[in-house]
Coordinates of all heavy atoms in Angstrom, one line a residue:
M1 N 71.4 57.5 -97.2 CA 70.9 57.8 -98.6 C 69.5 57.1 -98.7 O 69.3 56.1 -98.2 CB 71.9 57.2 -99.6 CG 71.5 57.4 -101.0 SD 73.0 57.1 -101.9 CE 72.7 58.1 -103.3
G2 N 68.6 57.8 -99.4 CA 67.3 57.4 -99.5 C 67.1 56.2 -100.5 O 68.0 55.8 -101.2
S3 N 65.9 55.6 -100.5 CA 65.6 54.5 -101.3 C 65.5 54.9 -102.8 O 65.2 56.1 -103.1 CB 64.3 53.9 -100.8 OG 63.9 52.9 -101.7
K4 N 65.7 54.0 -103.7 CA 65.5 54.3 -105.1 C 64.2 53.9 -105.6 O 63.9 54.0 -106.8 CB 66.6 53.6 -105.9 CG 68.0 54.1 -105.6 CD 69.1 53.5 -106.5 CE 70.4 54.2 -106.2 NZ 71.4 53.7 -107.1
K5 N 63.3 53.4 -104.8 CA 62.0 53.0 -105.3 C 61.1 54.2 -105.6 O 61.2 55.2 -104.9 CB 61.2 52.2 -104.2 CG 61.9 50.8 -103.9 CD 61.0 50.1 -102.9 CE 61.6 48.7 -102.6 NZ 60.9 48.0 -101.6
R6 N 60.3 54.1 -106.6 CA 59.5 55.3 -107.0 C 58.5 55.7 -105.9 O 58.3 56.8 -105.7 CB 58.7 54.9 -108.3 CG 59.6 54.9 -109.5 CD 58.7 54.7 -110.8 NE 59.5 54.5 -111.9 CZ 59.8 55.5 -112.8 NH1 59.4 56.7 -112.6 NH2 60.6 55.2 -113.8
S7 N 57.9 54.7 -105.2 CA 57.0 55.0 -104.2 C 57.7 55.8 -103.0 O 57.1 56.7 -102.4 CB 56.3 53.8 -103.6 OG 57.3 52.9 -103.1
S8 N 58.9 55.4 -102.8 CA 59.7 56.1 -101.8 C 60.0 57.5 -102.2 O 59.9 58.5 -101.4 CB 61.0 55.4 -101.5 OG 61.7 56.0 -100.5
W9 N 60.3 57.7 -103.5 CA 60.6 59.0 -104.0 C 59.4 59.9 -103.9 O 59.4 61.1 -103.5 CB 61.0 59.0 -105.4 CG 62.4 58.5 -105.7 CD1 63.4 58.2 -104.7 CD2 63.1 58.3 -106.9 NE1 64.5 57.8 -105.3 CE2 64.4 57.8 -106.7 CE3 62.7 58.4 -108.2 CZ2 65.3 57.5 -107.7 CZ3 63.5 58.2 -109.2 CH2 64.8 57.7 -109.0
A10 N 58.2 59.4 -104.2 CA 57.0 60.1 -104.2 C 56.7 60.5 -102.7 O 56.2 61.7 -102.5 CB 55.8 59.3 -104.7
K11 N 56.9 59.6 -101.8 CA 56.7 59.9 -100.4 C 57.7 61.0 -99.9 O 57.3 62.0 -99.2 CB 56.9 58.7 -99.5 CG 56.7 58.9 -98.0 CD 56.9 57.6 -97.3 CE 56.7 57.9 -95.8 NZ 57.0 56.7 -95.0
Q12 N 59.0 60.9 -100.3 CA 59.9 62.0 -99.9 C 59.6 63.3 -100.5 O 59.7 64.4 -99.9 CB 61.3 61.5 -100.4 CG 61.9 60.4 -99.5 CD 63.2 59.9 -100.1 OE1 63.7 60.3 -101.1 NE2 63.9 59.0 -99.3
K13 N 59.1 63.3 -101.8 CA 58.7 64.5 -102.5 C 57.5 65.1 -101.7 O 57.5 66.4 -101.5 CB 58.4 64.2 -103.9 CG 58.1 65.4 -104.7 CD 57.8 65.0 -106.2 CE 57.4 66.2 -107.0 NZ 57.1 65.9 -108.4
A14 N 56.6 64.3 -101.3 CA 55.4 64.9 -100.6 C 55.8 65.4 -99.3 O 55.3 66.5 -98.9 CB 54.4 63.8 -100.4
E15 N 56.7 64.8 -98.6 CA 57.2 65.3 -97.3 C 58.0 66.6 -97.5 O 57.8 67.5 -96.7 CB 58.1 64.2 -96.6 CG 57.4 63.0 -96.1 CD 58.3 61.9 -95.6 OE1 59.6 62.1 -95.7 OE2 57.8 60.9 -95.1
F16 N 58.7 66.6 -98.5 CA 59.5 67.9 -98.8 C 58.5 69.0 -99.1 O 58.7 70.1 -98.6 CB 60.4 67.6 -100.0 CG 61.2 68.9 -100.4 CD1 62.3 69.3 -99.6 CD2 60.9 69.6 -101.5 CE1 63.0 70.5 -100.0 CE2 61.6 70.7 -101.9 CZ 62.6 71.2 -101.1
A17 N 57.5 68.7 -100.0 CA 56.5 69.8 -100.3 C 55.8 70.2 -99.1 O 55.5 71.4 -98.9 CB 55.6 69.3 -101.4
A18 N 55.5 69.3 -98.2 CA 54.8 69.7 -96.9 C 55.7 70.6 -96.1 O 55.2 71.5 -95.4 CB 54.3 68.4 -96.2
G19 N 56.9 70.3 -96.1 CA 57.9 71.1 -95.3 C 58.1 72.5 -95.9 O 58.6 73.4 -95.2
L20 N 57.7 72.7 -97.1 CA 57.9 74.0 -97.7 C 56.8 75.0 -97.2 O 56.8 76.2 -97.5 CB 57.8 74.0 -99.2 CG 59.0 73.3 -99.9 CD1 58.8 73.2 -101.4 CD2 60.3 74.1 -99.6
G21 N 55.8 74.5 -96.5 CA 54.8 75.4 -95.9 C 53.9 75.9 -97.0 O 53.5 77.1 -97.0
G22 N 53.5 75.1 -97.9 CA 52.5 75.5 -98.9 C 53.1 76.0 -100.2 O 52.5 76.6 -101.0
F23 N 54.5 75.9 -100.4 CA 55.1 76.3 -101.6 C 55.6 75.2 -102.5 O 56.4 75.4 -103.3 CB 56.3 77.2 -101.3 CG 55.9 78.6 -100.7 CD1 56.1 78.8 -99.3 CD2 55.3 79.5 -101.4 CE1 55.7 80.0 -98.8 CE2 54.9 80.7 -100.9 CZ 55.1 81.0 -99.5
G24 N 55.0 74.1 -102.4 CA 55.3 72.9 -103.2 C 54.6 73.0 -104.5 O 53.9 74.0 -104.9
E25 N 54.8 72.0 -105.3 CA 54.2 71.9 -106.7 C 52.6 72.0 -106.5 O 52.0 71.3 -105.8 CB 54.6 70.5 -107.3 CG 54.1 70.4 -108.7 CD 54.6 69.1 -109.3 OE1 55.8 68.7 -109.1 OE2 53.8 68.4 -110.0
G26 N 52.0 72.9 -107.3 CA 50.6 73.0 -107.3 C 50.1 73.7 -106.0 O 48.9 73.6 -105.7
S27 N 50.9 74.3 -105.3 CA 50.5 74.8 -104.0 C 50.1 76.2 -104.0 O 49.7 76.8 -103.0 CB 51.6 74.6 -103.0 OG 52.7 75.4 -103.4
G28 N 50.2 76.9 -105.1 CA 49.7 78.3 -105.2 C 50.8 79.3 -105.3 O 50.7 80.4 -104.9
L29 N 52.0 78.9 -105.9 CA 53.0 79.9 -106.2 C 52.4 80.9 -107.2 O 52.7 82.1 -107.2 CB 54.2 79.3 -106.8 CG 55.3 78.8 -105.8 CD1 56.5 78.2 -106.5 CD2 55.7 79.9 -104.9
D30 N 51.5 80.4 -108.1 CA 50.8 81.4 -109.0 C 50.1 82.4 -108.2 O 50.0 83.6 -108.6 CB 49.9 80.6 -109.9 CG 50.6 79.7 -110.9 OD1 51.8 80.0 -111.2 OD2 50.0 78.8 -111.5
D31 N 49.5 82.0 -107.1 CA 48.7 82.9 -106.2 C 49.7 83.9 -105.6 O 49.3 85.1 -105.5 CB 48.0 82.1 -105.1 CG 47.1 83.0 -104.3 OD1 46.4 83.8 -104.9 OD2 47.1 82.9 -103.1
A32 N 50.9 83.4 -105.2 CA 51.8 84.4 -104.6 C 52.2 85.4 -105.7 O 52.4 86.6 -105.3 CB 53.1 83.6 -104.2
F33 N 52.4 85.0 -106.9 CA 52.8 86.0 -108.0 C 51.6 86.9 -108.2 O 51.8 88.1 -108.5 CB 53.2 85.3 -109.2 CG 54.6 84.6 -109.1 CD1 54.7 83.2 -109.2 CD2 55.7 85.4 -109.0 CE1 56.0 82.7 -109.1 CE2 57.0 84.8 -108.9 CZ 57.1 83.5 -108.9
A34 N 50.4 86.4 -108.2 CA 49.2 87.3 -108.4 C 49.1 88.3 -107.2 O 48.8 89.5 -107.5 CB 48.0 86.4 -108.4
R35 N 49.4 87.9 -106.0 CA 49.4 88.8 -104.9 C 50.5 89.9 -105.1 O 50.2 91.0 -104.8 CB 49.6 88.1 -103.6 CG 48.4 87.3 -103.1 CD 48.5 86.8 -101.6 NE 49.8 86.2 -101.3 CZ 50.0 84.9 -101.4 NH1 49.0 84.0 -101.8 NH2 51.2 84.4 -101.1
E36 N 51.6 89.5 -105.6 CA 52.7 90.4 -105.8 C 52.3 91.4 -106.9 O 52.5 92.6 -106.8 CB 54.0 89.7 -106.2 CG 55.1 90.7 -106.6 CD 55.6 91.5 -105.4 OE1 55.3 91.1 -104.2 OE2 56.2 92.5 -105.6
G37 N 51.6 91.0 -107.9 CA 51.1 91.9 -108.9 C 50.1 92.9 -108.4 O 50.1 94.1 -108.7
V38 N 49.2 92.4 -107.5 CA 48.2 93.3 -106.9 C 48.9 94.3 -106.0 O 48.6 95.5 -106.0 CB 47.2 92.5 -106.1 CG1 46.3 93.4 -105.2 CG2 46.3 91.6 -107.0
H39 N 49.9 93.8 -105.3 CA 50.7 94.7 -104.4 C 51.4 95.8 -105.2 O 51.4 97.0 -104.9 CB 51.7 93.9 -103.6 CG 52.7 94.7 -102.9 ND1 52.4 95.4 -101.8 CD2 54.0 95.0 -103.1 CE1 53.5 96.1 -101.4 NE2 54.5 95.9 -102.2
R40 N 52.0 95.4 -106.3 CA 52.7 96.4 -107.2 C 51.7 97.4 -107.8 O 52.0 98.6 -107.8 CB 53.5 95.7 -108.3 CG 54.7 95.0 -107.8 CD 55.4 94.3 -108.9 NE 56.5 93.5 -108.4 CZ 57.7 93.6 -108.8 NH1 58.1 94.5 -109.7 NH2 58.7 92.9 -108.3
K41 N 50.5 97.0 -108.2 CA 49.5 97.9 -108.7 C 49.1 98.9 -107.6 O 48.9 100.1 -107.9 CB 48.3 97.2 -109.3 CG 48.6 96.5 -110.6 CD 47.4 95.8 -111.1 CE 47.8 95.0 -112.4 NZ 46.7 94.2 -112.9
R42 N 48.8 98.4 -106.4 CA 48.4 99.2 -105.3 C 49.5 100.2 -105.0 O 49.2 101.4 -104.7 CB 48.1 98.4 -104.1 CG 47.5 99.2 -103.0 CD 47.1 98.3 -101.8 NE 46.2 97.3 -102.1 CZ 46.3 96.0 -101.8 NH1 47.4 95.6 -101.1 NH2 45.5 95.1 -102.2
A43 N 50.8 99.8 -104.9 CA 51.9 100.7 -104.6 C 52.0 101.7 -105.7 O 52.3 102.9 -105.4 CB 53.2 99.9 -104.5
A44 N 51.8 101.4 -107.0 CA 51.9 102.4 -108.0 C 50.8 103.4 -107.9 O 51.0 104.6 -108.1 CB 51.8 101.7 -109.4
A45 N 49.6 102.9 -107.5 CA 48.4 103.9 -107.3 C 48.7 104.8 -106.2 O 48.4 106.0 -106.2 CB 47.2 103.1 -107.2
D46 N 49.2 104.2 -105.1 CA 49.5 105.0 -103.9 C 50.6 106.1 -104.2 O 50.5 107.2 -103.8 CB 50.0 104.2 -102.7 CG 48.9 103.3 -102.1 OD1 47.7 103.6 -102.5 OD2 49.3 102.4 -101.4
H47 N 51.6 105.7 -105.0 CA 52.7 106.6 -105.4 C 52.1 107.7 -106.3 O 52.4 108.9 -106.1 CB 53.8 105.8 -106.2 CG 54.9 106.7 -106.7 ND1 55.8 107.2 -105.8 CD2 55.2 107.1 -107.9 CE1 56.7 107.9 -106.5 NE2 56.3 107.9 -107.8
E48 N 51.2 107.4 -107.2 CA 50.6 108.4 -108.1 C 49.7 109.4 -107.2 O 49.7 110.6 -107.5 CB 49.8 107.8 -109.2 CG 49.2 108.7 -110.2 CD 50.3 109.6 -110.9 OE1 51.4 109.2 -111.0 OE2 49.9 110.7 -111.4
A49 N 49.0 108.8 -106.3 CA 48.2 109.7 -105.4 C 49.1 110.6 -104.6 O 48.7 111.8 -104.4 CB 47.3 108.8 -104.5
A50 N 50.2 110.1 -104.1 CA 51.1 111.0 -103.3 C 51.7 112.1 -104.2 O 51.8 113.3 -103.8 CB 52.2 110.2 -102.7
R51 N 52.0 111.8 -105.5 CA 52.5 112.8 -106.4 C 51.5 113.8 -106.7 O 51.7 115.0 -106.7 CB 52.9 112.1 -107.7 CG 54.2 111.3 -107.6 CD 54.7 110.9 -108.9 NE 55.0 112.1 -109.7 CZ 55.6 112.1 -110.9 NH1 55.8 111.0 -111.5 NH2 55.9 113.2 -111.5
R52 N 50.2 113.4 -106.8 CA 49.1 114.3 -107.1 C 48.9 115.2 -105.9 O 48.7 116.4 -106.1 CB 47.8 113.5 -107.4 CG 46.7 114.5 -107.7 CD 45.4 113.7 -107.9 NE 44.3 114.6 -108.2 CZ 43.9 114.9 -109.4 NH1 44.4 114.4 -110.5 NH2 42.9 115.8 -109.6
R53 N 48.9 114.7 -104.7 CA 48.8 115.5 -103.5 C 49.9 116.5 -103.4 O 49.6 117.7 -103.1 CB 48.8 114.6 -102.2 CG 47.5 114.0 -101.9 CD 47.5 113.4 -100.5 NE 48.5 112.4 -100.3 CZ 48.3 111.1 -100.7 NH1 47.2 110.7 -101.2 NH2 49.3 110.2 -100.5
K54 N 51.1 116.1 -103.7 CA 52.2 117.1 -103.6 C 52.3 118.1 -104.7 O 52.5 119.3 -104.4 CB 53.6 116.3 -103.6 CG 54.8 117.1 -103.3 CD 56.0 116.3 -103.2 CE 57.2 117.3 -102.9 NZ 58.4 116.6 -102.8
A55 N 52.0 117.7 -105.9 CA 52.0 118.6 -107.0 C 50.8 119.5 -107.2 O 50.9 120.5 -107.8 CB 52.3 117.8 -108.3
C56 N 49.7 119.0 -106.7 CA 48.4 119.7 -107.0 C 47.6 120.0 -105.8 O 47.3 121.2 -105.5 CB 47.6 118.9 -108.0 SG 46.1 119.7 -108.5
E57 N 47.2 119.0 -105.1 CA 46.1 119.2 -104.1 C 46.6 120.0 -102.9 O 45.8 120.6 -102.2 CB 45.6 117.8 -103.6 CG 44.9 117.1 -104.8 CD 44.6 115.7 -104.4 OE1 44.9 115.2 -103.3 OE2 44.0 115.0 -105.3
S58 N 47.9 120.0 -102.6 CA 48.4 120.8 -101.4 C 48.7 122.2 -101.8 O 49.2 123.0 -100.9 CB 49.6 120.1 -100.9 OG 50.7 120.2 -101.8
K59 N 48.5 122.7 -103.0 CA 48.8 124.0 -103.5 C 47.6 124.8 -103.9 O 46.6 124.3 -104.2 CB 49.8 123.9 -104.7 CG 51.1 123.2 -104.3 CD 52.0 123.2 -105.5 CE 53.3 122.5 -105.1 NZ 54.3 122.5 -106.2
N60 N 47.8 126.1 -103.9 CA 46.8 127.0 -104.4 C 46.7 126.8 -105.9 O 47.7 126.8 -106.6 CB 47.1 128.5 -104.1 CG 47.0 128.7 -102.6 OD1 46.3 128.1 -101.9 ND2 47.8 129.7 -102.1
R61 N 45.4 126.8 -106.4 CA 45.2 126.6 -107.8 C 44.8 128.0 -108.4 O 43.9 128.7 -107.8 CB 44.1 125.6 -108.1 CG 43.8 125.4 -109.5 CD 42.7 124.4 -109.7 NE 42.4 124.1 -111.1 CZ 41.5 124.8 -111.8 NH1 40.8 125.7 -111.3 NH2 41.4 124.5 -113.1
Y62 N 45.4 128.3 -109.5 CA 45.1 129.6 -110.2 C 44.5 129.2 -111.5 O 45.0 128.3 -112.2 CB 46.3 130.5 -110.4 CG 47.0 130.8 -109.1 CD1 48.1 130.1 -108.6 CD2 46.4 131.7 -108.2 CE1 48.7 130.3 -107.4 CE2 47.0 132.0 -106.9 CZ 48.1 131.3 -106.6 OH 48.7 131.5 -105.3
A63 N 43.4 129.9 -111.9 CA 42.6 129.5 -113.1 C 43.4 129.9 -114.4 O 43.2 129.3 -115.4 CB 41.3 130.2 -113.1
S64 N 44.3 130.9 -114.3 CA 45.0 131.3 -115.5 C 46.4 131.6 -115.2 O 46.8 131.8 -114.0 CB 44.3 132.6 -116.1 OG 44.5 133.7 -115.2
R65 N 47.2 131.6 -116.2 CA 48.7 131.9 -116.0 C 48.8 133.4 -115.5 O 49.6 133.6 -114.7 CB 49.4 131.7 -117.3 CG 50.9 132.0 -117.1 CD 51.7 131.6 -118.4 NE 53.1 131.9 -118.1 CZ 54.0 131.0 -117.7 NH1 53.6 129.8 -117.4 NH2 55.3 131.3 -117.5
A66 N 48.0 134.3 -116.0 CA 48.1 135.7 -115.6 C 47.8 135.8 -114.1 O 48.5 136.6 -113.4 CB 47.1 136.5 -116.4
E67 N 46.8 135.1 -113.6 CA 46.5 135.1 -112.2 C 47.7 134.6 -111.4 O 48.0 135.1 -110.3 CB 45.2 134.3 -111.9 CG 44.7 134.3 -110.5 CD 43.5 133.5 -110.3 OE1 42.9 133.0 -111.3 OE2 43.2 133.3 -109.1
A68 N 48.3 133.5 -111.8 CA 49.5 132.9 -111.2 C 50.6 133.9 -111.2 O 51.4 134.1 -110.2 CB 49.9 131.6 -111.8
E69 N 50.8 134.6 -112.3 CA 51.9 135.6 -112.4 C 51.7 136.8 -111.5 O 52.6 137.3 -110.9 CB 52.1 136.1 -113.9 CG 52.7 135.0 -114.8 CD 52.7 135.4 -116.2 OE1 52.0 136.4 -116.6 OE2 53.3 134.7 -117.0
E70 N 50.4 137.2 -111.3 CA 50.1 138.2 -110.4 C 50.4 137.8 -109.0 O 51.0 138.6 -108.2 CB 48.6 138.5 -110.5 CG 48.1 139.7 -109.6 CD 46.6 139.9 -109.8 OE1 46.2 139.9 -111.0 OE2 46.0 140.1 -108.8
N71 N 50.1 136.6 -108.6 CA 50.4 136.1 -107.3 C 51.9 136.0 -107.1 O 52.5 136.2 -106.0 CB 49.7 134.8 -107.0 CG 49.7 134.5 -105.5 OD1 50.7 134.4 -104.9 ND2 48.5 134.2 -105.0
L72 N 52.6 135.5 -108.1 CA 54.1 135.4 -108.1 C 54.7 136.8 -107.8 O 55.6 136.9 -107.0 CB 54.6 134.8 -109.4 CG 56.1 134.7 -109.5 CD1 56.7 133.7 -108.5 CD2 56.5 134.3 -110.9
A73 N 54.2 137.8 -108.5 CA 54.8 139.1 -108.3 C 54.5 139.6 -106.9 O 55.4 140.2 -106.2 CB 54.1 140.1 -109.3
W74 N 53.3 139.3 -106.3 CA 53.0 139.7 -104.9 C 54.0 138.9 -104.0 O 54.5 139.6 -103.0 CB 51.6 139.3 -104.6 CG 51.2 139.7 -103.2 CD1 50.8 140.9 -102.8 CD2 51.2 138.9 -102.1 NE1 50.5 140.9 -101.5 CE2 50.8 139.7 -101.0 CE3 51.5 137.6 -101.8 CZ2 50.7 139.2 -99.7 CZ3 51.4 137.1 -100.6 CH2 51.0 137.9 -99.5
C75 N 54.2 137.6 -104.2 CA 55.2 136.9 -103.4 C 56.6 137.5 -103.4 O 57.2 137.6 -102.4 CB 55.2 135.4 -103.8 SG 53.7 134.5 -103.4
E76 N 57.0 137.8 -104.6 CA 58.3 138.4 -104.7 C 58.4 139.8 -104.0 O 59.4 140.1 -103.4 CB 58.7 138.6 -106.2 CG 59.0 137.2 -106.9 CD 59.3 137.3 -108.3 OE1 59.1 138.4 -109.0 OE2 59.8 136.3 -108.9
H77 N 57.3 140.5 -104.1 CA 57.2 141.8 -103.4 C 57.3 141.6 -101.9 O 57.9 142.4 -101.2 CB 55.9 142.6 -103.7 CG 55.7 143.8 -103.0 ND1 56.5 145.0 -103.3 CD2 54.9 144.2 -102.0 CE1 56.1 146.0 -102.5 NE2 55.2 145.5 -101.7
Q78 N 56.8 140.5 -101.4 CA 56.9 140.2 -100.0 C 58.2 139.6 -99.6 O 58.5 139.3 -98.4 CB 55.8 139.2 -99.6 CG 54.4 139.7 -99.8 CD 54.1 140.9 -98.9 OE1 54.4 140.8 -97.7 NE2 53.4 141.9 -99.4
G79 N 59.1 139.3 -100.5 CA 60.4 138.9 -100.2 C 60.7 137.4 -100.5 O 61.8 136.9 -100.3
K80 N 59.7 136.7 -101.1 CA 59.9 135.3 -101.4 C 60.4 135.2 -102.8 O 59.8 135.6 -103.8 CB 58.5 134.6 -101.3 CG 58.6 133.1 -101.7 CD 59.3 132.3 -100.6 CE 59.2 130.8 -101.0 NZ 60.1 130.0 -100.2
R81 N 61.6 134.7 -102.9 CA 62.3 134.6 -104.2 C 62.4 133.1 -104.6 O 62.3 132.2 -103.8 CB 63.7 135.2 -104.1 CG 63.8 136.6 -103.7 CD 63.5 137.5 -104.9 NE 63.7 138.9 -104.5 CZ 62.7 139.8 -104.5 NH1 61.5 139.5 -104.8 NH2 62.9 141.0 -104.1
G82 N 62.7 132.9 -105.9 CA 62.9 131.5 -106.4 C 61.7 130.7 -106.8 O 61.8 129.5 -107.0
L83 N 60.5 131.4 -106.8 CA 59.3 130.7 -107.2 C 59.2 130.7 -108.7 O 59.7 131.5 -109.4 CB 58.1 131.3 -106.6 CG 58.0 131.3 -105.1 CD1 56.8 132.0 -104.6 CD2 57.9 129.8 -104.6
S84 N 58.5 129.7 -109.2 CA 58.2 129.6 -110.7 C 56.8 129.1 -110.8 O 56.2 128.6 -109.9 CB 59.2 128.7 -111.4 OG 59.2 127.4 -110.9
I85 N 56.3 129.2 -112.0 CA 54.9 128.9 -112.3 C 54.9 127.6 -113.2 O 55.8 127.5 -114.1 CB 54.2 130.0 -113.1 CG1 54.2 131.3 -112.2 CG2 52.8 129.7 -113.5 CD1 53.7 132.5 -112.9
Y86 N 53.9 126.8 -113.1 CA 53.8 125.6 -114.0 C 52.3 125.3 -114.1 O 51.5 125.5 -113.3 CB 54.5 124.4 -113.5 CG 54.0 123.8 -112.2 CD1 53.1 122.7 -112.3 CD2 54.4 124.2 -111.0 CE1 52.6 122.1 -111.1 CE2 53.9 123.7 -109.8 CZ 53.0 122.6 -109.9 OH 52.5 122.0 -108.8
E87 N 52.0 124.7 -115.3 CA 50.6 124.3 -115.5 C 50.5 122.8 -115.0 O 51.4 122.0 -115.3 CB 50.3 124.3 -117.0 CG 48.9 123.9 -117.3 CD 48.5 124.1 -118.8 OE1 49.4 124.2 -119.6 OE2 47.3 124.0 -119.1
C88 N 49.5 122.6 -114.2 CA 49.4 121.3 -113.5 C 48.8 120.2 -114.5 O 47.8 120.5 -115.2 CB 48.4 121.5 -112.4 SG 48.1 120.0 -111.4
P89 N 49.5 119.1 -114.6 CA 49.0 118.0 -115.4 C 47.8 117.3 -114.8 O 47.1 116.6 -115.5 CB 50.2 117.1 -115.5 CG 51.0 117.3 -114.3 CD 50.8 118.8 -113.9
Y90 N 47.5 117.5 -113.6 CA 46.4 116.9 -112.9 C 45.1 117.6 -113.0 O 44.0 117.1 -113.3 CB 46.7 116.6 -111.4 CG 47.9 115.7 -111.2 CD1 49.1 116.2 -110.8 CD2 47.8 114.3 -111.5 CE1 50.2 115.4 -110.7 CE2 48.9 113.5 -111.4 CZ 50.1 114.0 -110.9 OH 51.2 113.2 -110.8
C91 N 45.1 118.9 -112.7 CA 43.9 119.7 -112.7 C 43.8 120.7 -113.9 O 42.7 121.3 -114.1 CB 43.8 120.5 -111.4 SG 44.9 121.8 -111.2
G92 N 44.8 120.9 -114.6 CA 44.8 121.9 -115.7 C 44.9 123.3 -115.3 O 45.0 124.2 -116.1
G93 N 45.0 123.6 -114.0 CA 45.2 124.9 -113.5 C 46.7 125.3 -113.4 O 47.5 124.6 -114.0
W94 N 47.0 126.3 -112.7 CA 48.4 126.8 -112.6 C 48.7 126.9 -111.1 O 47.9 127.2 -110.3 CB 48.5 128.2 -113.2 CG 48.2 128.2 -114.7 CD1 47.0 128.2 -115.3 CD2 49.2 128.0 -115.7 NE1 47.1 128.1 -116.6 CE2 48.4 128.0 -117.0 CE3 50.5 127.9 -115.8 CZ2 49.1 127.9 -118.2 CZ3 51.2 127.8 -117.0 CH2 50.4 127.8 -118.2
H95 N 50.0 126.5 -110.8 CA 50.5 126.5 -109.4 C 51.8 127.2 -109.4 O 52.5 127.3 -110.4 CB 50.7 125.1 -108.9 CG 49.4 124.3 -108.9 ND1 48.4 124.5 -108.0 CD2 49.0 123.2 -109.7 CE1 47.4 123.6 -108.3 NE2 47.8 122.8 -109.2
L96 N 52.2 127.6 -108.2 CA 53.5 128.1 -107.9 C 54.4 127.0 -107.3 O 53.8 126.2 -106.5 CB 53.5 129.3 -107.0 CG 52.7 130.5 -107.4 CD1 52.8 131.6 -106.4 CD2 53.2 131.1 -108.8
T97 N 55.6 127.0 -107.6 CA 56.5 126.0 -107.0 C 57.9 126.6 -106.7 O 58.3 127.6 -107.4 CB 56.7 124.8 -107.8 OG1 57.5 123.8 -107.2 CG2 57.3 125.1 -109.2
S98 N 58.6 126.1 -105.7 CA 59.9 126.5 -105.4 C 60.9 125.6 -106.1 O 62.1 125.8 -106.1 CB 60.2 126.6 -103.9 OG 60.0 125.3 -103.4
H99 N 60.4 124.5 -106.7 CA 61.3 123.5 -107.4 C 61.1 123.7 -108.9 O 60.0 124.0 -109.4 CB 60.9 122.1 -107.1 CG 61.0 121.8 -105.6 ND1 62.2 121.6 -105.0 CD2 60.1 121.7 -104.6 CE1 62.1 121.4 -103.7 NE2 60.8 121.5 -103.4
P100 N 62.2 123.6 -109.7 CA 62.0 123.7 -111.1 C 61.1 122.6 -111.6 O 61.2 121.5 -111.2 CB 63.4 123.6 -111.7 CG 64.3 123.4 -110.5 CD 63.5 123.4 -109.3
W101 N 60.2 122.9 -112.5 CA 59.3 122.0 -113.0 C 59.9 121.2 -114.2 O 60.4 121.8 -115.1 CB 58.0 122.7 -113.5 CG 56.9 121.7 -114.0 CD1 56.6 121.5 -115.3 CD2 56.1 120.8 -113.2 NE1 55.6 120.5 -115.3 CE2 55.3 120.1 -114.0 CE3 56.1 120.6 -111.8 CZ2 54.4 119.2 -113.6 CZ3 55.1 119.7 -111.3 CH2 54.3 119.0 -112.2
E102 N 60.0 119.9 -114.1 CA 60.6 119.1 -115.1 C 59.5 118.4 -115.9 O 58.6 117.8 -115.3 CB 61.5 118.0 -114.5 CG 62.7 118.6 -113.7 CD 63.5 117.6 -113.0 OE1 63.3 116.4 -113.3 OE2 64.3 117.9 -112.2
K103 N 59.6 118.4 -117.2 CA 58.6 117.7 -118.0 C 59.2 116.5 -118.6 O 60.4 116.3 -118.8 CB 58.2 118.7 -119.1 CG 57.3 119.8 -118.6 CD 56.7 120.6 -119.7 CE 55.8 121.6 -119.1 NZ 55.0 122.3 -120.0

C-alpha cells in the first residue's frame, strides 16, 4: 500500500500520468477530441462526395425532363426495363436510374 503523504500522492499521480502515454491531466485529451471532430467532418465530406459521384457525376446528365424521357424510351426500346427518371439535387439536371429515387 502506498504512502499517505501528499508529496507521495503527487509523485504517484505524476508517474501514473506518465504511464498513460500523454493522456494524463492537461495532456491534450481536448486535442484528441478536436482530432476526432476533424476526422468526423472529413468523413462526412468524403461520404457526401461519394454520394455525389454515384448519384450525379457518374451518370449522363439531361438538360430537361423531356430529354430524359426520350432517352428512357430509347433504352426501353433496346430492352432495358426498370429505369426511372429523377431530378438531380446536385446539378439540377435529370438522370436515369435503376433504383427508385427516395426523397
